[in-house]
Amino acid sequence: MPPPPPPSLTANTASSMGNAEAVVVLPANGGARRRADKVVHPAPMPDRAAGGAMERKGGGVGGGGEVGGWRRPEWCSAAGVAGVLRRHPAAAAFGCGLLLFMAVEYTIPMVPPAAPPIDLGFAATAALHAGIAARPWLNSLLAALNTVFVAMQAAYILWAILGEGRPRAAVAAMMMFTCRGALGCATQLPLPAEFLGSGMDFPVGNVSFFLFFSGHVAGAVIAAEDMRRAGRRGMARLYDALNLLQGVRLLACRGHYTIDLAVGVGAGLLFDMLAGRYLDGKNAVDGGAAVAPGSRCCSCHKALLSQ
């Protein structure tokens, strides 16, 4: 009996037989032949024309065609764009704002180094500024009322942690004021030329303070957000209204630039969120249960007591 062919030859023969049955010769037991399973090959891919010809599937304007392996998104059509505008009007407005302010930024004249800053908030409150400047008693009264509002913020945040055991607002305030101090030292903005100071304003005594960003506004935002979590929505709306009046007063007295107030709102929301993440992370490490979304109570106090 002739010797069996080498394994490499039988493997090549089996692979070249296409979808037919492949026979593999095994030398065991006197060279008996055993039938192998059928080899199933994938269906051949359709040939593409030279030069990158395009193959379309599911054509039509609204159907989302496939071109050369790239499938067009469904919103890339007149009907799709209209649907996006109906479903996401805020995102569409921000997209238009992006294009608008790109054009404004690249064409607006720069403020010369020796010129004072241009602040639209100062322009909008010019009449209020003139009225307060002509009445020093009114300036002192508004400053005293603003100081009372700051004391209300501090009192609520302290009550939340000491009386109710909810530290999130206090942690957020500590984070916020620490960051504000670092930024205030990093960039010290010039005091507005028309600033109306008062010994009744917080900090009391006409002491120096950081302009960027407004701790008055950020603290009120942190307190209002904590009130919403605790279900005190009426108090939260009251603090929001007082915060708005506070911002108008700060602009009219030139105690802050507009950008200080806007960033103060964002800082309050940001540090409230970061404080929540910090406390939730502590609870997760300590094995605490997560709070259900929309729950009116806050279990972040567990992070203070866990060992």
Side-chain angles (χ1 to χ4, degrees), residues 168-248:
R168 178 167 172 173
V171 173
M174 290 187 290
M175 289 180 174
M176 182 270 292
F177 280 109
T178 301
C179 180
R180 177 177 178 267
L183 293 177
C185 291
T187 302
Q188 299 184 36
L189 298 176
L191 191 67
E194 299 177 332
F195 171 65
L196 300 177
S198 172
M200 301 298 295
D201 205 353
F202 182 86
V204 179
N206 279 325
V207 298
S208 60
F209 59 95
F210 293 127
L211 283 168
F212 186 85
F213 47 87
S214 174
H216 290 64
V217 172
V221 170
I222 290 173
E225 287 300 301
D226 189 81
M227 292 172 184
R228 290 186 181 90
R229 277 190 302 273
R232 301 171 177 136
R233 299 191 177 276
M235 288 184 62
R237 287 192 292 268
L238 174 63
Y239 268 56
D240 288 338
L242 293 176
N243 201 8
L244 179 61
L245 295 176
Q246 171 183 247
V248 174

Side-chain angles (χ1 to χ4, degrees), residues 58-226:
V61 176
E66 181 174 333
V67 181
W70 173 80
R71 185 171 182 81
R72 184 183 62 199
E74 295 182 0
W75 58 268
C76 287
S77 64
V81 171
V84 170
L85 293 178
R86 286 193 303 268
R87 185 173 178 81
H88 305 284
F94 281 119
C96 295
L98 168 65
L99 300 177
L100 171 64
F101 286 108
M102 283 178 62
V104 171
E105 180 180 3
Y106 300 150
T107 57
I108 191 171
M110 301 293 290
V111 179
I118 297 177
D119 194 298
L120 296 181
F122 289 179
T125 57
L128 286 175
H129 173 77
I132 295 174
R135 301 170 180 83
W137 63 269
L138 181 58
N139 182 33
S140 297
L141 176 61
L142 294 177
L145 292 175
N146 207 155
T147 299
V148 171
F149 181 49
V150 173
M152 290 167 57
Q153 301 170 28
Y156 176 82
I157 292 174
L158 288 174
W159 170 253
I161 184 174
L162 299 178
E164 300 179 340
R166 296 183 298 105
R168 178 167 172 173
V171 173
M174 290 187 290
M175 289 180 174
M176 182 270 292
F177 280 109
T178 301
C179 180
R180 177 177 178 267
L183 293 177
C185 291
T187 302
Q188 299 184 36
L189 298 176
L191 191 67
E194 299 177 332
F195 171 65
L196 300 177
S198 172
M200 301 298 295
D201 205 353
F202 182 86
V204 179
N206 279 325
V207 298
S208 60
F209 59 95
F210 293 127
L211 283 168
F212 186 85
F213 47 87
S214 174
H216 290 64
V217 172
V221 170
I222 290 173
E225 287 300 301
D226 189 81

